[in-house]
Amino acid sequence: MMKSKLHSDESASESEVIRDGLRTLLARDRVMESWLNNQVAPAYDALKSNPARAITADQVRDRLAAEYAKTR
């Protein structure tokens, strides 16, 4: 990927390609951290405080299949 970018008109140097890659990785890390903090951690805390809320993988599949069937 880096070599193809270098040979195209998109980037002038290897350092620019590396900077683009690092920016992409940092952006992905920010998105993952946000997801973990805003969705995963609260769900984990809710489940930990009330384990009766848990559902099985089969129940998840059934619910997803039912939702999918509604869209058909």
Side-chain angles (χ1 to χ4, degrees):
M1 180 173 123
M2 183 186 313
K3 296 243 185 233
S4 66
K5 266 194 145 182
L6 285 172
H7 295 297
S8 72
D9 291 334
E10 292 180 46
S11 298
S13 69
E14 274 189 37
S15 63
E16 286 181 19
V17 174
I18 292 168
R19 278 195 301 269
D20 286 347
L22 291 173
R23 280 189 207 107
T24 300
L25 290 172
L26 288 171
R28 185 204 60 193
D29 287 350
R30 282 191 294 272
V31 168
M32 288 298 296
E33 179 135 3
S34 175
W35 174 70
L36 287 169
N37 287 329
N38 297 323
Q39 294 184 15
V40 175
Y44 171 79
D45 291 341
L47 184 59
K48 190 173 178 185
S49 70
N50 183 4
R53 295 174 51 138
I55 61 174
T56 67
D58 287 336
Q59 289 170 312
V60 171
R61 280 189 211 98
D62 291 345
R63 288 184 187 182
L64 289 173
E67 287 298 317
Y68 178 74
K70 288 180 190 177
T71 64
R72 305 230 71 190

